[in-house]
Amino acid sequence: MKTMLKLAVMLCGATLATTAWCKDDPAAGAKLYSANCMACHGADRAGMPGAFPALTDVSKRLDAAQIKDKIRKGGGLMPPFSQLSQQEIDDIASYLAK
């Protein structure tokens, strides 16, 4: 029983340590943006007036939580990107905040 408890504590510690080291990565976000967002919002994030909003100053209009929620759930013409992990969404939001 003590061995199982030790193993559980070690696994929890490893999980928490990994989570603590995860940080937003704007470079990874740029790659994800290219793969998932660029077709509609453009390489320069300028969008297409009347169809797709510009994302050049999105952090002035929405806070980080709203940006992440929009990526996850979509809205208007934008589809939800539920296939992206939370880390990938964080990375895209970090890229857009630049």
Side-chain angles (χ1 to χ4, degrees):
M1 185 67 170
K2 286 183 180 181
T3 304
M4 289 181 61
L5 181 59
K6 286 180 184 178
L7 181 60
V9 169
M10 288 183 347
L11 288 173
C12 286
T15 301
L16 292 173
T18 301
T19 302
W21 286 103
C22 291
K23 295 190 180 200
D24 297 348
D25 183 353
K31 291 177 184 176
L32 289 162
Y33 176 89
S34 293
N36 296 283
C37 314
M38 190 167 60
C40 296
H41 295 283
D44 58 0
R45 298 185 283 165
M48 182 186 302
F52 307 112
L55 300 177
T56 51
D57 62 351
V58 70
S59 62
K60 292 179 182 175
R61 295 174 297 188
L62 303 173
D63 65 31
Q66 291 171 314
I67 293 169
K68 293 173 187 182
D69 194 53
K70 182 64 81 172
I71 294 168
R72 186 179 307 102
K73 296 179 181 175
L77 295 176
M78 183 171 155
F81 286 87
S82 55
Q83 77 278 10
L84 297 176
S85 70
Q86 186 59 51
Q87 184 62 52
E88 291 171 323
I89 291 171
D90 292 347
D91 291 344
I92 293 171
S94 178
Y95 168 70
L96 292 175
K98 289 176 63 176

